[in-house]
Amino acid sequence: MKFLNALIIGLFLLAFSPVSSQELKSPNGKLTMLFSLNNNGAPTYQLTYKTQGVIKPSKLGLELKGDEKSLLNDFEIINTKNETFNATWKPVWGEEDVIKNHYNELAVSLKQKQTHRVMLIRFRLFNEGLGFRYEFPEQQNLVYFTIQEERSQFAMTGNHTAFWIPGDYDTQEYDYTESKLSEIRTLFDNAVTGNASQEQFSKTGVQTALMMKTDTDLYINLHEAALINYSCMSLNLDDENMIFESHLTPDVNGDKGYMQAPCNSPWRTIMVSDDARDILSSRMTLNLNEPCAIEDTSWIKPVKYIGVWWEMITGKSSWAYTDHLPAIQLGITDYSKVKPNTTHAANNTKVKRYIDFASKHGFDGVLVEGWNEGWEDWFGKSKDYVFDFVTPYPDFNVEEIHNYAKSKGVKMIMHHETSGSTRNYERHMDKAYQFMKNNGYDAVKSGYVGNVLPRGEHHYSQWIVNHYQYAIEKAADYQVMVNAHEAVRPTGICRTYPNLIGNESARGTEFQAFGGSKPNHVTILPFTRLIGGPMDYTPGIFEMDISKLNPNNNSHVNSTIANQLALYVTMYSPLQMAADLPEHYEQFMDAFQFIKDVAIDWDKSEYLEAEPGHYITIARKEKGTNNWFVGNVNGKQARISNIKLDFLEKRKKYKATIYADATDADYKTNPQAYTITTKTVTYKTKLSLRSVTAGGYAISLHEIK
């Protein structure tokens, strides 16, 4: 009996006493995470997929500024807690109607022996990857602290192939470089050539989401989720040992983050699979964000729009009202006394033409850029000038345009270019949003072009990240949807604030008018930029020769028309623009029909084939109907795409309209060559279609009733 009692007590102590290592498995058992403390009391973790290593033992912790002892080592485990979560939730808009959130969780509470500070590291292991973050409970020994650097490591198992863009504190508008990890240092300078990069933190720094492929055909993606009140993370690579380490964007003083317990970091995410399609279909980033914080979401609606934009991007027209010297520098405050130029695009006559086109072809909205005063002074680089967001140029009558659009059943989309002056925007925000609502604007495209004023902050530092969040939440108060350009890349926050219906934060279509993008660019973005949320990529360009719009611009859009159509399916967004000029669409109305037909909100998505940098084929079911749309974008090599339509409903027939590259299509010399064929198909149908370099195909599948 004494022996039995001793055994029971021993088992009890074993069950509830701290241990030095903990194992966590994914719900399907394919992923295993092992947490432990090393001999110095430093927290470490490692990750395996099936029988393959993904992350070798890697250290965790934060370096603090000043004389304070950093949160890197000297820890002991004081508690561990395991939980399982399995539920579903319905997004306001999305790639499917219902999202499953299933993970196993391990929370490890650590106490630093010398300081008695407590830090909790929370791990969540999904079937497709791992998320972890640092949490700092309320405590006497850790209240206010400043982060010198986060020291989260991601130790790779080999010299993987990576699709990367350089580390930069202010822009993600780069073409992706495909290389081995060991080649990043050598290729770094070439990767930043021609970009308006202000500062790179090291020759081996890269931004997330970082997509990699191992020699054993594992696909690995590193990113972050729920970036709130924290600096944006990039990754530094120790290319001798193949270890990535987190690198936070500094503020103007060089500090990485100001924290007050209780608080937590964003999630650090590692997706992994032996099938690239699993990376595209993962909702892990969304699941690591908080549920929707907006009680009434009935006003948040997906938008298909056109806009007065591409002609300015190409240089055909101008944002500015006058060619004169900046009005403010001349002491002129009344633009009616300034002689207008002949290229100002945001005028009543032209905007009505766009409204008419939108109304005729079933578009929800029209965006107008260059409508408000001040573009001359901004282009003149006055240090004192900032926009006010409510004062139109003399040739743009806000009330007249609003009434005309309303009569045509079209909504206007506001444009706010902040010129990087975030404090000024915050001062004007209430007035600007109220002005929008008074004049029937439900959505705003905001821009942050240029250096952030007035302190010289970076676009991705903690303070500016907080500004973007403030703008989203303030917009929600006015029931305004936000499409933020030049802001920090998204990290799934659209789950919590679904009025964030789009971001740019990557190299979009506009760069096709600035010299072009690589032919396989759009086969990489869904594996990288879109991991965190939808992008306002602005597809739909039909005239690839930019010199036909502006003789002084010799840029070329590196794409075929079929590729442009496919983007409406492969580049998911609830905010989709038909970016070209109406007259270009009128030349190809048969191809334009797909843009008119394609949905922007979905019940279901099927990822048919995918290989980063090479090709992506996705099928999506339109919300509330039995209609499906398929898109294929191709990379640098022409190929035959073989797909099955087994996602279609059995015992039903569908009319398939196939928009494909013509046999003589060439993205450089013959990009407007396409074919349109129709046929009746069922779930048993198999299709074999050829996609040229930078080409693809798009298919609409309408149920035959």
Side-chain angles (χ1 to χ4, degrees), residues 132-179:
F132 66 86
R133 72 178 183 186
Y134 304 96
E135 299 180 9
F136 307 96
E138 185 175 355
Q139 55 194 290
Q140 292 183 348
N141 296 322
L142 187 67
V143 182
Y144 299 99
F145 58 102
T146 302
I147 298 174
Q148 181 72 35
E149 188 59 274
E150 184 183 319
R151 298 295 182 188
S152 302
Q153 291 185 346
F154 308 83
M156 299 293 101
T157 59
N159 188 17
H160 306 330
T161 298
F163 299 86
W164 58 276
I165 56 176
D168 193 309
Y169 301 140
D170 292 286
T171 183
Q172 288 197 303
E173 295 177 334
Y174 291 97
D175 252 329
Y176 281 86
T177 299
E178 178 183 352
S179 76

Side-chain angles (χ1 to χ4, degrees), residues 241 266 270 330 352 397 448 606 662 693:
N241 299 298
I270 307 162
L330 292 173
K352 287 180 180 179
N397 188 309
Y448 294 88
E606 297 286 343
T693 301

Side-chain angles (χ1 to χ4, degrees), residues 305-477:
Y305 73 106
I306 62 173
V308 183
W309 174 76
W310 184 242
E311 57 184 275
M312 288 98 84
I313 291 294
T314 58
K316 172 182 170 66
S317 303
S318 70
W319 285 273
Y321 175 74
T322 174
D323 293 329
H324 284 228
L325 291 173
I328 289 180
Q329 293 180 2
L330 292 173
I332 298 173
T333 57
D334 185 355
Y335 272 82
S336 65
K337 299 179 180 179
V338 179
K339 181 180 179 181
N341 61 34
T342 60
T343 61
H344 181 233
N347 61 74
N348 290 342
T349 301
K350 178 165 289 186
V351 172
K352 287 180 180 179
R353 155 84 164 122
Y354 276 79
I355 293 171
D356 289 341
F357 187 84
S359 177
K360 180 179 179 181
H361 297 291
F363 284 77
D364 304 298
V366 173
L367 166 75
V368 179
E369 294 196 13
W371 66 277
N372 57 330
E373 292 183 0
W375 288 88
E376 298 84 4
D377 197 70
W378 186 44
F379 290 137
K381 301 187 185 302
S382 168
K383 294 181 179 179
D384 300 320
Y385 183 76
V386 287
F387 294 99
D388 70 3
F389 315 109
V390 297
T391 308
Y393 281 124
D395 59 350
F396 184 82
N397 188 309
V398 175
E399 183 177 0
E400 179 183 342
I401 291 297
H402 164 56
N403 290 333
Y404 188 80
K406 186 177 180 180
S407 72
K408 297 286 186 174
V410 173
K411 284 281 190 176
M412 298 301 296
I413 300 174
M414 181 58 72
H415 181 241
H416 290 165
E417 177 51 65
T418 71
S419 62
S421 184
T422 53
R423 279 300 194 200
N424 174 68
Y425 191 36
E426 290 175 3
R427 285 195 295 268
H428 287 85
M429 206 170 279
D430 282 289
K431 184 178 180 181
Y433 288 153
Q434 188 60 58
F435 178 81
M436 287 177 55
K437 299 305 293 183
N438 292 343
N439 291 282
Y441 290 81
D442 295 332
V444 61
K445 173 184 176 181
S446 57
Y448 294 88
V449 176
N451 297 334
V452 175
L453 301 172
R455 295 178 62 201
E457 291 282 352
H458 294 294
H459 281 70
Y460 306 152
S461 64
Q462 181 187 30
W463 190 79
I464 303 302
V465 166
N466 288 348
H467 163 80
Y468 303 137
Q469 187 64 31
Y470 176 77
I472 297 167
E473 295 184 23
K474 176 65 72 173
D477 292 341

Side-chain angles (χ1 to χ4, degrees), residues 9 17 63 117 137 180 198 212 219 238 305 442 482 488 516 656 680 688 697:
I9 294 172
S17 297
E63 180 182 350
R117 292 171 175 165
K180 291 291 187 179
Q198 299 175 30
M212 292 174 285
Y219 299 89
D238 173 357
Y305 73 106
D442 295 332
V482 176
V488 71
T680 300
S688 182
Y697 58 82

Side-chain angles (χ1 to χ4, degrees), residues 678-694:
T678 61
K679 61 190 303 185
T680 300
V681 299
T682 70
Y683 80 100
K684 294 181 179 180
T685 302
K686 298 179 181 179
L687 296 177
S688 182
L689 299 168
R690 182 176 182 269
S691 298
V692 303
T693 301

Side-chain angles (χ1 to χ4, degrees), residues 309-310 313 507-514 517 535-541 557 564 567 579:
W309 174 76
W310 184 242
I313 291 294
R507 189 181 182 93
T509 301
E510 65 184 4
F511 276 85
Q512 299 281 19
F514 303 157
S517 296
M535 179 180 179
D536 183 27
Y537 185 72
T538 61
I541 303 302
V557 178
Q564 289 291 309
L567 292 172

